[in-house]
Amino acid sequence: MQILLNGERVTTDASTLDELCARLGFGEAKVATAVNGSFVAAGARERTALSEADEVEIVAPRQGG
């Protein structure tokens, strides 16, 4: 399926947000996630199904200033 990930169209076969994060190397990382503009807490990612054309944001914290 095709989704929009951080503003870029990508193809994935991940069925949940948790699975997508793991495949992208964020499995155990502290990241903020949202699907279609709604925040998704870490504990809810494995219950958050992905669908064609979903807009997903994955944001990792940055240090510095």
Side-chain angles (χ1 to χ4, degrees), residues 1 12-17 19-20 23 48-51:
M1 90 180 100
T12 184
D13 61 351
S15 61
T16 66
L17 182 56
E19 190 177 337
L20 178 66
R23 290 181 183 192
T48 303
L50 296 177
S51 299

Side-chain angles (χ1 to χ4, degrees), residues 4-51:
L4 199 61
L5 175 63
N6 294 344
E8 294 186 31
R9 193 158 307 281
V10 297
T11 300
T12 184
D13 61 351
S15 61
T16 66
L17 182 56
D18 190 58
E19 190 177 337
L20 178 66
C21 288
R23 290 181 183 192
L24 294 173
F26 296 114
E28 298 298 319
K30 300 289 185 194
V31 294
T33 55
V35 176
N36 298 323
S38 296
F39 172 76
V40 179
R45 291 179 191 150
E46 71 180 48
R47 297 185 309 272
T48 303
L50 296 177
S51 299

